[in-house]
Amino acid sequence: MATFSPSTHCPSSSPYSNDSSVINRFHQRIALSSIRPKQCRPRKLSLQQSSLPKAVHLQDGASTKKASPVKSDGPVKILKDGILSVPPVTPPEESIDIAKFDFDKENSTVSITVVGASGDLAKKKIFPALFALYYEGCLPKHFTIFGYARSKMSDAELRTMVSKTLTCRIDQRENCGEKMDQFLERCFYHPGQYDSQENFLELDKKLKEHEDGRVANRLFYLSIPPNIFIDAVKCASTSASAATGWTRVIVEKPFGRDSESSAALTRSLKQYLDEDQIFRIDHYLGKELVENLSVLRFSNLIFEPLWSRQYIRNVQFIFAEDFGTEGRGGYFDNYGIIRDIMQNHLLQILALFAMETPVSLDAEDIRNEKVKVLRSMRPLQLDDVVIGQYKSHTRGGVKYPAYIDDKTVPNDSLTPTFAAAALFIDNARWDGVPFLMKAGKALHDRRAEIRVQFRHVPGNLYNKNIGTDLDLATNELVIRVQPDEAIYLKINNKVPGLGMRLDRSNLNLLYAARYAKEIPDAYERLLLDAIEGERRLFIRSDELDAAWSLFTPVLKELEEKKIVPEYYPYGSRGPVGSHYLAARYKVRWGDVGSEQ
Amino acid sequence: MATQISPCSSSSTTFSPSSLNQEPFSSAKLVNFSRKSSPSRWVFKIHSRINPKNQFELKSSNGYPLNAVSLQDGAAEKPLAKEIVLPEQTESNLSVTVVGASGDLAKKKIFPALFALFYEDCLPRNFVIFGYARTKMTDEELRETISRTLTCRIDKRENCGDKMEEFLQRCFYHSGQYNSEENFAELDSKLKHKEDGKLSNRLFYLSIPPNIFVDSVRCASGKASSKTGWTRVIVEKPFGRDSESSAELTRSLKKYLAEDQIFRIDHYLGKELVENLSVLRFSNLVFEPLWSRNYIRNVQFIFSEDFGTEGRGGYFDNYGIIRDIMQNHLLQILALFAMETPVSLDAEDIRNEKVKVLKSMRRLKLEDVVIGQYKGGKSYLGYTEDPTVPNDSLTPTFAAAALFIDNARWDGVPFLMKAGKALNTRRAEIRVQFRHVPGNLYKKNFGMDMDKATNELVLRVQPDEAIYLKINNKVPGLGMRLDRSDLNLLYSMRYPKEIPDAYERLLLDAIEGERRLFIRSDELDAAWSIFTPLLKELETKKIAPELYPYGSRGPVGAHYLAAKYNVRWGDVTGEE
């Protein structure tokens, strides 16, 4: 549609980076004067993206927080000085792009070091995501990727390992093989201990070689167990930080087990890193429909007026996996489903859902609002939680194992593999509205969705057509995050024909039907954001604290009182206790109705 | 989840035992008709067409000699039902007399609709259909004519032939003059013969030119009214040409009929999505809060046909598109759209609210109207080239108008209407354009014109019934591009069943005495008073219409009219 900026390039995640022509011109001007060239365009790329000056502070973690355009990065200055004096008349875009392009091409590079390169996540998600970004032309011209792990491996071996998991996007398969080879050429490996300054120094030296005197920006992706986080951060930061550009570190959950351990982790990280160098990833925030949640709310007139206790009866956040720990329960058993899914993924989505309108789409503005919501929430009470654990179940001659049958799990484990919880936000907008969460493993299907159940129509003229339970016929907005991304709104509708029968139909948008393009993996988006310094989708320390303080008391209580989980058969719909919990707050789970 | 509720019947037996008692008039003079005649009629729906047994039990446990009961006798066609013998006095007979049986509307719409109702078991057990016209014809000949246009519903074709045969056996013909009391008296004795002493309910469908309306009403009511049951008369537009002639017609009709015997049909009100409009508004929490000037920027009612008068412009030329489409169909939809919440779904409650809206509307002014007339091209004849149209005719075949409702809910919101013949598409739809998001965070992702990116709710009445809501959405992928996507409901995807023709619904309602979809006299007066001054001005000033090519999008003047009120027509954008 003409109205919306069509971007032909791989666009950035920055909310400011769209290419509508007007904005673009404006944007070009800014980019020019501040030397923040546009991000992620094929061939014309740069690392320090930021289109508007206000975002600038945040952009350069490594260099300086107060980066005014003039000050920011040394090497960038030359051009900047020349151009800053240019009056605000937009020169032909072409020339700017070229100037920027030549400049960046020669002068900066980004090295991405995947620490823990032999791990599962690295193989399944990180390398493929990096390749996808490369394939789409979203990576800078000069980049190198280093795998770092303890195993001895040659570059070639790493490449073989990586290549096994690379795939090309369905919608543009051309040159895939070629591209893959080019990508693999940029991948290297360095073996080393995670706590060895020396090994990281060696890495630093190798990185320098590849950087070849250009502005060096370095991104470390820590894909390692939590107990070695700090050591690795210490070594990376002291021995392998970029001397000229920025250094950023992506860390994955778990961020501690409770308020105290999380705070301790944050404190330790901050010994070596500034807040804006830390990128705490929650890959759910990178999911397409979670990103779209704010778009839906804030760019459509029809939703915002409904977004409050006045119209919303309850909100449900549902996560289900149809498989168990399958022999890999060692890590999980130490955390449990509440820490693994609820306290982070579901709570983050809840915060995005419930936050007030932020001042802008800037990362800090959004995260400020999220923190406010989290801090308005009541800490979870034991009464408001139901936990479950799957037991073995034989179906169709196949025996599915119980959680405790997993060899990596202690036989007497009480760790919940299922949990349902009712949360409340004590603010003006949401007072009294139950926010229900449900997350579980080894359930009957795999899904993640947000369900918003609206109140019933007051004084509904059609009440008599609806039956005794008015709540069964209320509107419901469903945002299905996975699988088969979709948005639909259940409305009451007249069944066509003579007479007057009502029926709930869906006004729907199935992504697969509307958008032919494959939806990028969450990791692609998040990696790109980290490279570009866009922090919107990463979790700030105070957010993390607020999130933990909601769950820590109940987690402790569960453990101290050794609360026994309700057992549910593998492949079932989970413990029935969750229905009673919902019923207590007059809620009916939307995902297990006869209809969907 | 489909909730129970009735099939064909729109009134109920068990819950409205009073409804027939109130209609025992013996002549044309009508008895008190409490507007609460059947309390919340289409609300209490117990019967399911699919389950006639059920229906029957309810009825027999009721036992009242009600008209509603008699309707249920349709079920008696089922073998099971036949075994249950009803008390003699509950037997009633419905006769439907189509006056003007040889006309086009009768052949194309009325008889097929009656057959469809019969096929769906929506007609009472005892019914007869009479065709009445001037042409000499035998019953057989009538049957022959009718049978050519009967079709069976797509979704259940079984027994269609049998059913058709049964139906045709109930069809008879009587030839007579429309103004002859004598001929109607003959009709009366034929009807009596068929009724065979049963309680007689009679419905006359006047499918005749307006100049003979009153005469035939006089004859029908004087000579062929039911003595024991009810007598109702369905009349079709035109209901006059302006306030005065319409009032005159109403006065004449009322000499012979009581208000609640008159069923003024506006077949647009029988369209599925027009019926659904109230359901959408009032049974969904998500719409009603938005239904006001606070959120709605403008509303558009669009009607277009992709053909001209095609040699049948004689009637049309005397009326023009404003009278033919706007003053009735579009205005009725507007009233339904904009009315306040009625006290109940009762016909009188709804019509009261519609009248209120119409009375709150500003008289249409000349400067708020654009008229057009189509001209010929290489392969198409222009309007004035139609042999049945005068060469110098200024009659508009296209009109666009901006209307305003001066009440608290709608003050300042333009309601735009557009209707035309010989345009590029055939469609009828309602478009609701919402305001832009105040302080939109994503402003920078839109272009210059915020209004182009607003939400829009579209109810497409025809063709391909659909409801969709345009929303802004993120284009999947890296980066942040917004796009308008549709949250949609295409009827043909969701509901495989064929949607009944508007005439079926309306005939059934008339049979059942459900007046919700028929136009009351005061509604009609209010509707005329909005348009009459303008129509007179157009005619006295001999305003020349803007000519537009056959098959085009209509006169560009429509865009300037819209622009004057900061509106952009939703149907002629690049997307769609």
Side-chain angles (χ1 to χ4, degrees):
Chain A
M1 221 198 76
T3 332
F4 297 94
S5 48
S7 167
T8 49
H9 342 281
C10 170
S12 106
S13 311
S14 155
Y16 299 109
S17 65
N18 67 84
D19 301 20
S20 89
S21 59
V22 177
I23 306 303
N24 211 5
R25 240 168 279 137
F26 171 59
H27 178 124
Q28 291 288 2
R29 196 149 69 220
I30 302 262
L32 178 66
S33 59
S34 63
I35 299 306
R36 312 239 150 230
K38 277 188 58 98
Q39 61 294 331
C40 189
R41 321 174 97 196
R43 288 188 288 280
K44 303 167 189 172
L45 36 84
S46 89
L47 309 177
Q48 302 88 1
Q49 76 75 214
S50 153
S51 1
L52 289 182
K54 79 167 111 167
V56 165
H57 320 289
L58 301 173
Q59 301 305 328
D60 298 301
S63 52
T64 158
K65 284 190 184 173
K66 300 226 165 65
S68 76
V70 190
K71 266 204 224 157
S72 60
D73 312 302
V76 179
K77 217 167 159 184
I78 320 149
L79 184 71
K80 192 184 307 163
D81 289 345
I83 294 176
L84 267 183
S85 55
V86 173
V89 173
T90 318
E93 290 184 18
E94 212 42 28
S95 63
I96 302 169
D97 275 358
I98 289 165
K100 201 165 65 188
F101 164 60
D102 289 338
F103 173 76
D104 297 330
K105 180 174 76 176
E106 296 314 322
N107 285 283
S108 75
T109 177
V110 70
S111 333
I112 299 157
T113 306
V114 181
V115 182
S118 49
D120 232 40
L121 182 76
K123 278 189 277 192
K124 282 200 197 143
K125 292 289 188 181
I126 306 175
F127 288 113
L130 286 168
F131 171 63
L133 289 175
Y134 174 73
Y135 187 90
E136 301 265 322
C138 292
L139 289 185
K141 179 173 182 193
H142 295 292
F143 75 93
T144 45
I145 292 172
F146 261 86
Y148 186 101
R150 283 175 303 199
S151 2
K152 294 275 170 216
M153 221 194 302
S154 67
D155 291 348
E157 279 164 335
L158 176 85
R159 286 171 192 164
T160 317
M161 184 191 86
V162 170
S163 68
K164 282 188 211 126
T165 55
L166 298 189
T167 48
C168 291
R169 285 206 184 282
I170 287 166
D171 57 344
Q172 346 164 266
R173 291 189 167 281
E174 333 123 36
N175 306 325
C176 186
E178 238 170 83
K179 284 272 189 185
M180 220 180 263
D181 289 341
Q182 290 168 5
F183 176 77
L184 290 171
E185 288 298 303
R186 312 273 199 112
C187 296
F188 305 91
Y189 184 73
H190 183 75
Q193 296 301 311
Y194 297 125
D195 56 355
S196 155
Q197 297 275 12
E198 203 181 318
N199 294 154
F200 273 96
L201 266 178
E202 292 157 19
L203 174 71
D204 184 54
K205 212 184 288 170
K206 283 199 187 170
L207 289 175
K208 280 213 180 92
E209 268 170 44
H210 287 284
E211 284 157 6
D212 197 20
R214 298 185 190 90
V215 180
N217 296 309
R218 294 185 182 172
L219 178 66
F220 291 89
Y221 196 120
L222 299 195
S223 177
I224 49 177
N227 55 327
I228 45 178
F229 262 16
I230 303 292
D231 283 337
V233 166
K234 181 179 61 174
C235 302
S237 129
T238 51
S239 305
S241 269
T244 49
W246 48 253
T247 302
R248 293 172 189 152
V249 178
I250 297 181
V251 287
E252 275 267 1
K253 68 174 180 184
F255 311 124
R257 306 186 76 247
D258 50 28
S259 292
E260 293 75 30
S261 54
S262 163
L265 180 67
T266 300
R267 258 195 318 277
S268 314
L269 287 175
K270 287 209 177 165
Q271 279 184 309
Y272 308 107
L273 298 170
D274 286 336
E275 172 74 28
D276 53 11
Q277 290 183 276
I278 306 169
F279 285 69
R280 284 189 197 82
I281 216 165
D282 183 326
H283 70 270
Y284 260 72
L285 294 184
K287 298 259 180 199
E288 185 61 38
L289 281 188
V290 176
E291 271 265 82
N292 198 20
L293 186 57
S294 299
V295 175
L296 275 185
R297 269 189 76 184
F298 299 124
S299 80
N300 291 293
L301 186 74
I302 54 172
F303 292 121
E304 189 56 22
L306 305 171
W307 222 256
S308 74
R309 62 198 299 272
Q310 198 180 348
Y311 296 107
I312 291 179
R313 190 155 48 96
N314 67 73
V315 188
Q316 305 174 9
F317 301 89
I318 295 164
F319 172 95
E321 277 177 351
D322 53 2
F323 49 89
T325 50
E326 323 288 336
R328 331 183 60 166
Y331 158 79
F332 182 84
D333 193 64
N334 192 24
Y335 289 90
I337 197 85
I338 298 181
R339 291 187 180 91
D340 199 43
I341 303 293
M342 277 193 175
Q343 181 271 343
N344 38 46
H345 304 326
L346 296 188
L347 189 64
Q348 284 293 322
I349 299 176
L350 184 150
L352 271 178
F353 178 92
M355 70 181 181
E356 298 297 309
T357 311
V359 173
S360 80
L361 295 171
D362 269 11
E364 297 313 309
D365 290 330
I366 291 177
R367 298 197 289 184
N368 286 343
E369 294 305 330
K370 280 167 65 192
V371 171
K372 277 166 57 186
V373 170
L374 294 175
R375 293 183 50 206
S376 305
M377 287 176 73
R378 249 180 257 169
L380 187 56
Q381 308 288 311
L382 188 59
D383 285 355
D384 288 339
V385 178
V386 169
I387 58 171
Q389 191 185 81
Y390 64 90
K391 60 183 183 189
S392 75
H393 180 60
T394 307
R395 195 180 38 211
V398 184
K399 183 167 187 285
Y400 295 91
Y403 175 65
I404 50 167
D405 295 341
D406 190 318
K407 291 194 186 67
T408 58
V409 168
N411 280 341
D412 58 350
S413 172
L414 295 178
T415 302
T417 61
F418 174 97
L423 294 125
F424 293 88
I425 305 174
D426 290 332
N427 66 15
R429 190 187 282 264
W430 296 117
D431 190 6
V433 178
F435 284 78
L436 266 69
M437 286 184 181
K438 188 165 76 167
K441 287 180 174 292
L443 295 175
H444 73 295
D445 68 354
R446 170 178 167 262
R447 73 162 85 197
E449 63 187 20
I450 308 170
R451 288 180 168 260
V452 186
Q453 295 189 340
F454 291 91
R455 294 191 183 281
H456 64 249
V457 178
N460 192 342
L461 291 170
Y462 294 88
N463 271 355
K464 304 219 173 59
N465 298 16
I466 286 169
T468 48
D469 190 351
L470 294 182
D471 287 345
L472 284 179
T474 57
N475 294 127
E476 188 168 1
L477 176 68
V478 181
I479 298 173
R480 192 164 63 215
V481 177
Q482 67 186 28
D484 307 328
E485 290 84 352
I487 301 170
Y488 54 95
L489 178 63
K490 287 177 183 267
I491 56 165
N492 289 304
N493 202 47
K494 181 180 167 305
V495 176
L498 303 169
M500 176 61 65
R501 278 176 55 213
L502 299 197
D503 175 26
R504 281 218 290 182
S505 301
N506 294 342
L507 280 179
N508 62 45
L509 169 63
L510 187 63
Y511 272 52
R514 170 79 168 90
Y515 300 107
K517 220 177 125 172
E518 204 193 353
I519 296 174
D521 189 76
Y523 281 92
E524 292 173 40
R525 191 190 314 281
L526 293 167
L527 273 164
L528 182 62
D529 281 356
I531 292 170
E532 298 186 343
E534 166 59 69
R535 287 165 176 77
R536 195 161 40 93
L537 301 179
F538 296 90
I539 299 162
R540 213 164 59 182
S541 302
D542 55 346
E543 268 187 277
L544 185 62
D545 290 348
W548 273 121
S549 63
L550 295 176
F551 283 90
T552 297
V554 82
L555 285 166
K556 291 210 165 137
E557 208 175 337
L558 282 172
E559 277 155 28
E560 276 159 21
K561 296 192 176 162
K562 296 199 188 304
I563 307 278
V564 178
E566 188 176 334
Y567 295 97
Y568 61 95
Y570 193 115
S572 70
R573 289 166 186 271
V576 292
S578 67
H579 292 292
Y580 290 91
L581 175 65
R584 174 136 45 103
Y585 295 107
K586 301 196 162 59
V587 177
R588 178 183 277 259
W589 291 106
D591 61 327
V592 285
S594 48
E595 33 152 2
Q596 287 288 309
Chain B
M1 53 157 234
T3 19
Q4 38 84 266
I5 318 317
S6 135
C8 22
S9 93
S10 61
S11 59
S12 102
T13 49
T14 355
F15 292 94
S16 58
S18 56
S19 60
L20 183 85
N21 294 344
Q22 288 166 330
E23 305 189 26
F25 51 76
S26 40
S27 74
K29 290 303 159 218
L30 244 253
V31 200
N32 62 325
F33 219 100
S34 142
R35 66 182 194 76
K36 282 279 172 194
S37 64
S38 43
S40 1
R41 27 187 48 197
W42 47 305
V43 177
F44 290 90
K45 313 291 166 103
I46 325 175
H47 317 298
S48 154
R49 188 184 331 167
I50 319 141
N51 191 351
K53 280 184 229 171
N54 218 349
Q55 216 169 345
F56 212 78
E57 281 156 17
L58 282 166
K59 178 187 60 178
S60 45
S61 71
N62 168 1
Y64 283 96
L66 305 181
N67 70 323
V69 167
S70 64
L71 292 173
Q72 303 309 327
D73 288 356
E77 305 261 319
K78 305 283 173 186
L80 181 91
K82 273 181 188 152
E83 295 165 18
I84 300 170
V85 182
L86 287 170
E88 194 60 26
Q89 73 268 26
T90 65
E91 283 264 57
S92 69
N93 182 83
L94 169 73
S95 16
V96 180
T97 306
V98 180
V99 182
S102 50
D104 233 40
L105 182 76
K107 276 188 277 190
K108 283 198 195 147
K109 293 288 187 181
I110 305 174
F111 289 114
L114 285 168
F115 172 62
L117 290 175
F118 173 72
Y119 187 87
E120 302 265 325
D121 286 335
C122 292
L123 290 185
R125 176 179 169 185
N126 301 310
F127 75 92
V128 282
I129 291 171
F130 261 87
Y132 186 102
R134 282 174 304 198
T135 339
K136 294 270 171 221
M137 221 194 303
T138 64
D139 291 347
E140 269 318 312
E141 280 164 336
L142 175 83
R143 287 171 191 163
E144 179 58 32
T145 329
I146 295 177
S147 66
R148 278 186 231 129
T149 56
L150 297 190
T151 48
C152 289
R153 284 207 185 283
I154 288 167
D155 57 343
K156 8 182 218 180
R157 290 190 169 281
E158 336 119 37
N159 305 328
C160 187
D162 291 350
K163 282 277 189 182
M164 221 180 262
E165 217 28 63
E166 281 175 50
F167 176 77
L168 289 172
Q169 288 313 311
R170 313 273 197 115
C171 296
F172 304 92
Y173 184 75
H174 183 74
S175 81
Q177 297 300 311
Y178 297 124
N179 58 0
S180 153
E181 304 224 343
E182 199 182 322
N183 293 154
F184 274 95
E186 291 157 20
L187 174 70
D188 184 55
S189 59
K190 281 199 187 175
L191 289 173
K192 280 216 181 90
H193 178 69
K194 303 284 177 208
E195 283 158 7
D196 193 22
K198 298 190 189 76
L199 180 76
S200 112
N201 294 315
R202 294 184 182 173
L203 178 65
F204 291 88
Y205 195 122
L206 300 194
S207 177
I208 47 177
N211 56 327
I212 47 179
F213 264 14
V214 179
D215 280 339
S216 50
V217 165
R218 175 173 49 87
C219 302
S221 128
K223 295 295 170 194
S225 270
S226 161
K227 302 290 182 290
T228 51
W230 48 253
T231 303
R232 294 175 188 149
V233 177
I234 296 181
V235 287
E236 276 266 1
K237 70 175 180 184
F239 310 125
R241 306 187 76 248
D242 51 28
S243 292
E244 293 75 29
S245 55
S246 162
E248 175 57 35
L249 179 66
T250 300
R251 254 196 316 281
S252 314
L253 288 176
K254 287 211 178 164
K255 273 199 271 189
Y256 309 107
L257 298 171
E259 171 73 26
D260 52 12
Q261 289 184 280
I262 306 170
F263 284 72
R264 287 188 195 83
I265 216 165
D266 183 327
H267 70 269
Y268 260 71
L269 293 184
K271 298 258 179 199
E272 187 59 40
L273 278 188
V274 176
E275 271 266 82
N276 198 16
L277 184 57
S278 299
V279 175
L280 273 186
R281 270 189 75 182
F282 299 123
S283 80
N284 289 293
L285 187 74
V286 295
F287 293 121
E288 187 57 22
L290 305 171
W291 223 255
S292 75
R293 62 198 299 273
N294 288 338
Y295 297 106
I296 291 179
R297 192 154 47 96
N298 66 72
V299 188
Q300 305 176 8
F301 301 88
I302 296 166
F303 170 95
S304 65
E305 278 178 347
D306 54 3
F307 49 88
T309 50
E310 322 291 334
R312 332 182 59 166
Y315 158 78
F316 182 85
D317 194 65
N318 192 24
Y319 288 89
I321 196 86
I322 298 180
R323 291 186 179 91
D324 200 42
I325 303 293
M326 277 193 174
Q327 181 271 345
N328 38 45
H329 303 326
L330 297 188
L331 189 65
Q332 284 294 322
I333 298 177
L334 183 151
L336 270 179
F337 178 92
M339 70 181 180
E340 298 296 310
T341 311
V343 174
S344 80
L345 295 171
D346 270 11
E348 298 313 310
D349 289 330
I350 292 178
R351 298 196 288 185
N352 286 344
E353 294 305 329
K354 282 167 66 193
V355 171
K356 276 166 58 187
V357 170
L358 295 175
K359 285 187 171 165
S360 305
M361 288 177 73
R362 249 181 254 167
R363 307 277 164 272
L364 188 54
K365 292 201 211 79
L366 189 58
E367 63 263 30
D368 287 340
V369 176
V370 169
I371 58 171
Q373 190 185 79
Y374 65 89
K375 57 186 181 189
K378 278 173 222 137
S379 40
Y380 294 102
L381 289 182
Y383 177 67
T384 51
E385 289 155 335
D386 187 318
T388 58
V389 168
N391 282 339
D392 58 350
S393 172
L394 295 179
T395 302
T397 62
F398 174 98
L403 294 122
F404 292 88
I405 304 175
D406 291 333
N407 65 15
R409 188 187 283 263
W410 297 116
D411 191 6
V413 177
F415 284 79
L416 267 70
M417 284 182 181
K418 189 163 78 166
K421 285 179 174 292
L423 295 175
N424 60 335
T425 61
R426 169 177 167 262
R427 73 161 90 195
E429 63 188 18
I430 309 171
R431 288 180 167 261
V432 186
Q433 295 189 341
F434 291 91
R435 294 191 183 280
H436 64 248
V437 178
N440 194 337
L441 289 169
Y442 293 87
K443 207 175 277 176
K444 303 214 174 58
N445 299 43
F446 298 110
M448 292 291 283
D449 189 353
M450 295 288 293
D451 286 345
K452 280 192 190 161
T454 57
N455 295 127
E456 189 170 1
L457 176 68
V458 182
L459 305 181
R460 192 164 62 214
V461 177
Q462 66 185 29
D464 305 329
E465 289 84 352
I467 302 172
Y468 55 96
L469 181 61
K470 289 179 182 268
I471 57 164
N472 291 305
N473 202 49
K474 180 179 167 304
V475 177
L478 302 170
M480 178 60 69
R481 278 172 56 210
L482 300 197
D483 175 26
R484 282 220 288 183
S485 301
D486 297 339
L487 281 180
N488 62 44
L489 171 63
L490 189 64
Y491 272 51
S492 60
M493 307 275 285
R494 171 81 168 91
Y495 301 107
K497 216 179 128 171
E498 203 194 355
I499 295 174
D501 189 76
Y503 281 92
E504 291 172 40
R505 190 189 316 279
L506 293 166
L507 272 164
L508 182 63
D509 281 353
I511 292 169
E512 298 188 344
E514 166 59 60
R515 290 165 176 79
R516 192 166 39 91
L517 300 179
F518 296 90
I519 299 163
R520 211 163 61 182
S521 301
D522 55 345
E523 267 187 277
L524 185 63
D525 290 349
W528 272 121
S529 64
I530 296 167
F531 283 90
T532 297
L534 167 91
L535 287 165
K536 291 212 165 134
E537 204 174 341
L538 281 175
E539 277 153 29
T540 47
K541 293 191 178 164
K542 294 196 187 307
I543 307 280
E546 190 177 332
L547 299 179
Y548 60 95
Y550 194 112
S552 70
R553 289 164 186 272
V556 292
H559 292 291
Y560 289 92
L561 174 65
K564 187 163 124 191
Y565 294 107
N566 293 320
V567 178
R568 178 182 276 261
W569 291 105
D571 61 328
V572 285
T573 56
E575 39 160 354
E576 280 297 298

